[in-house]
Amino acid sequence: MSSYMPSIRYGLLLFAMTPILINISGCSNNLQQRKTITNMHQLPYPTIDRELGEKLQPDEEIIANQITEQIVQSIRSQYSSGNALRDAHPKAHGCVRAEFHVSKSIPKNLAQGIFVPDKTYSAWIRFSNASGDATRADDKKDARGMAIKLLGVPGKKILENDEQALTQDFIMINHPVFFVDEPLRYLSFIEDTNSKSTLKKLHIPFALGFKGTLNALGASNSKISNPVQARYWSMVPYQLGLGADRQAVKYSARPCSLNADTMLNQSDPNFLRAALQDTLNKKDVCMEFLIQPRTSNKMLVENSMNEWKEDKAPFYKVATIHIPQQVFNTPDQNKFCENLSFTPWHSLPEHKPLGAINRLRKVIYENISIVRHEMNSAQRQEPK
């Protein structure tokens, strides 16, 4: 849900050249004017946890379906059968094998769900660009993604279509906050982005609002030299634990060492894939996985646009990610990578996603994954 950064910059450029458009109205509240949704794969909409501060917004489930329909239409119009890519993060730098080792000394209050002291999981990690343009050169400013899929995770999962899956996903980007937290505002943004109208493109900053626009530009202004040498954040909160002791947390991953490899030739439009392969040809890679417990109820789970400042809510290292030397850039592994689906709802109940953006994700991610696999006649299943 972060593939539209170039459109934001384009909209801002046009906006700066056309001050008269200040009078354009914001998001419409008339949902009946929007397209009726058909052929949606219906899932039960997430229930909210009021004690952790969740609060449903008006017409949230309807809006989730409408956003999904917009994105599905975009995928169907952009790609032919057999060639469909993700709407967000379609350009992968590679899927790599990894091990996720939970620390022996993890604090007791964080040792919940998959965070069993001294337990090791096999994993797949997909590194990517956020832009919806899969041909976009890596030297262009863009947000970057890191999606982790742990394997061999027992227990019934939240997502109804994959209740028996043995996987747990963590999805992160190299920016600590999201650019929207209101479903209706996000729908307006998607409609503007997918429109062929220049006036609609001009409306993008209004769809996002001032803070959302700043957040979006902050995320999309990133340049990195190597996917394993960047820091990543979950942006949005998650539940940790069950029962009375459950709490709201955020996640992050960062390199174990600040020592960076030599920058490769950035004239290669795929230099981040080349940098990742060059590193893993030579050595193993170490990254740390961190948890940030919420320390104040003022850190709202429904507000994905404000950072939980680390000086007020510190991160704690809870696991080490070991990425061994390997060759990953092969046709079979690249195909396997394309068929993977990542969603925060591939999850144990102990790690339930929180907040409106995560609730939207349940509907959106599942439906666009189904559509993408159907268009490609690809089997859709979680790895074992």
Side-chain angles (χ1 to χ4, degrees):
M1 293 173 64
S2 55
S3 61
Y4 306 97
M5 304 306 181
S7 295
I8 296 169
R9 285 194 290 268
Y10 174 61
L12 284 174
L13 177 61
L14 293 177
F15 168 64
M17 296 167 58
T18 319
I20 194 170
L21 290 171
I22 289 174
N23 290 322
I24 295 177
S25 63
C27 303
S28 170
N29 286 314
N30 189 354
L31 295 177
Q32 295 178 349
Q33 294 179 355
R34 303 185 188 276
K35 185 173 174 22
T36 302
I37 307 305
T38 57
N39 300 322
M40 295 292 295
H41 297 269
Q42 295 294 337
L43 292 171
Y45 199 70
T47 58
I48 62 170
D49 189 329
R50 296 186 185 278
E51 291 187 16
L52 288 182
E54 284 194 290
K55 183 179 179 181
L56 278 176
Q57 300 191 32
D59 298 309
E60 195 175 294
E61 183 176 358
I62 295 172
I63 295 170
N65 288 329
Q66 291 172 331
I67 294 171
T68 303
E69 182 69 14
Q70 286 280 328
I71 296 175
V72 166
Q73 288 178 5
S74 176
I75 292 173
R76 292 193 184 281
S77 63
Q78 185 176 358
Y79 299 110
S80 59
S81 296
N83 298 297
L85 300 178
R86 292 166 169 82
D87 75 301
H89 298 265
K91 183 177 184 179
H93 309 311
C95 280
V96 299
R97 292 178 291 105
E99 287 187 341
F100 187 99
H101 179 73
V102 181
S103 302
K104 288 182 181 180
S105 57
I106 181 173
K108 187 176 181 180
N109 66 314
L110 303 182
Q112 308 289 334
I114 65 104
F115 297 109
V116 178
D118 205 26
K119 186 172 179 62
T120 299
Y121 301 89
S122 296
W124 287 102
I125 301 177
R126 182 180 188 266
F127 295 100
S128 61
N129 286 346
S131 171
D133 179 4
T135 65
R136 185 175 174 82
D138 291 344
D139 66 335
K140 304 297 184 185
K141 292 181 178 180
D142 197 0
R144 321 290 170 166
M146 178 183 184
I148 303 171
K149 186 178 292 291
L150 303 186
L151 309 179
V153 179
K156 185 177 179 181
K157 306 307 185 295
I158 301 173
L159 191 62
E160 292 81 2
N161 288 349
D162 286 309
E163 285 182 341
Q164 303 307 315
L166 298 175
T167 55
Q168 169 76 43
D169 293 358
F170 296 103
I171 298 175
M172 294 174 285
I173 200 169
N174 67 327
H175 193 67
V177 289
F178 201 55
F179 59 86
V180 69
D181 58 9
E182 298 174 10
L184 190 57
R185 192 177 286 277
Y186 191 75
L187 173 60
S188 181
F189 167 67
I190 292 292
E191 290 177 334
D192 293 347
T193 301
N194 290 339
S195 174
K196 296 180 181 179
S197 165
T198 299
L199 282 177
K200 280 286 191 179
K201 302 290 187 187
L202 283 164
H203 186 256
I204 288 174
F206 294 100
L208 292 181
F210 179 73
K211 187 173 183 61
T213 299
L214 289 181
N215 284 358
L217 290 175
S220 65
N221 278 334
S222 164
K223 279 193 174 184
I224 64 173
S225 60
N226 192 316
V228 294
Q229 292 170 359
R231 183 171 178 183
Y232 302 87
W233 290 265
S234 65
M235 299 187 294
V236 289
Y238 294 82
Q239 179 176 311
L240 181 64
L242 296 173
D245 293 332
R246 70 193 184 283
Q247 57 185 314
V249 303
K250 291 184 180 181
Y251 301 118
S252 181
R254 66 187 180 194
C256 294
S257 170
L258 297 179
N259 295 329
D261 292 337
T262 303
M263 178 79 74
L264 294 183
N265 180 10
Q266 293 191 37
S267 63
D268 177 356
N270 303 311
F271 86 86
L272 288 175
R273 175 178 283 267
L276 182 60
Q277 185 64 78
D278 183 67
T279 297
L280 293 178
N281 281 340
K282 298 174 182 176
K283 62 183 181 181
D284 296 359
V285 167
C286 173
M287 299 186 76
E288 297 176 341
F289 191 87
L290 314 170
I291 290 180
Q292 182 187 33
R294 180 173 63 170
T295 56
S296 168
N297 288 335
K298 293 181 180 179
M299 299 174 179
L300 304 177
V301 298
E302 293 293 345
N303 187 343
S304 55
M305 296 172 64
N306 285 341
E307 186 177 0
W308 295 359
K309 296 297 185 180
E310 292 191 42
D311 60 344
K312 300 287 195 305
F315 279 92
Y316 298 89
K317 176 186 172 183
V318 295
T320 300
I321 299 168
H322 174 242
I323 306 175
Q325 281 185 265
Q326 60 189 278
V327 175
F328 64 83
N329 192 17
T330 66
D332 285 346
Q333 192 148 318
N334 290 336
K335 182 179 179 180
F336 169 79
C337 183
E338 285 308 303
N339 282 335
L340 286 177
S341 294
F342 291 92
T343 168
W345 292 90
H346 282 152
S347 174
L348 291 171
E350 289 91 335
H351 309 296
K352 177 187 173 184
L354 297 175
I357 296 304
N358 269 329
R359 293 192 295 272
L360 296 179
R361 279 172 156 178
K362 184 184 181 188
V363 177
I364 297 168
Y365 282 27
E366 186 69 355
N367 275 279
I368 60 179
S369 173
I370 291 170
V371 168
R372 176 167 62 89
H373 283 79
E374 288 178 348
M375 288 181 67
N376 292 336
S377 300
Q379 187 174 9
R380 184 176 177 272
Q381 64 181 19
E382 285 296 281
K384 296 181 179 179

